[in-house]
Amino acid sequence: MEEKKKLRCPLGVPGGIVAALVGIVGIVMNIMSFNLLGLLTSIGLFLLAGPFVRVTLMVHSANDRLDELEKKAGK
């Protein structure tokens, strides 16, 4: 049987890191400029970055487990 190449790329990790960094920079910039709406948006972006990374990693690990189960069932 031919080996399938994994097409998945865990883009949630770099995406979550970028979201967290943008959130932190936005928090600092909006505190310095006294912009309340921008500050709330930046805090929300920062708080969503962690769960985004966690869910993406969970989905990828589940897909890897399914691949392993398919290999065992195919033997």
Side-chain angles (χ1 to χ4, degrees):
M1 190 161 101
E2 209 175 283
E3 280 291 318
K4 290 191 307 184
K5 291 184 180 179
K6 292 184 181 180
L7 298 176
R8 294 185 296 277
C9 178
L11 287 179
V13 176
I17 292 170
V18 168
L21 290 176
V22 168
I24 290 172
V25 169
I27 289 169
V28 171
M29 296 300 293
N30 288 309
I31 286 175
M32 290 183 357
S33 67
F34 302 109
N35 183 1
L36 182 61
L37 183 62
L39 177 64
L40 292 174
T41 304
S42 297
I43 290 171
L45 180 64
F46 178 72
L47 293 176
L48 284 175
F52 182 70
V53 171
R54 206 171 315 127
V55 166
T56 305
L57 288 175
M58 183 176 60
V59 167
H60 286 296
S61 66
N63 283 335
D64 291 339
R65 285 188 217 137
L66 283 174
D67 287 344
E68 292 298 321
L69 288 173
E70 286 175 355
K71 284 181 188 176
K72 288 180 182 178
K75 287 185 179 180

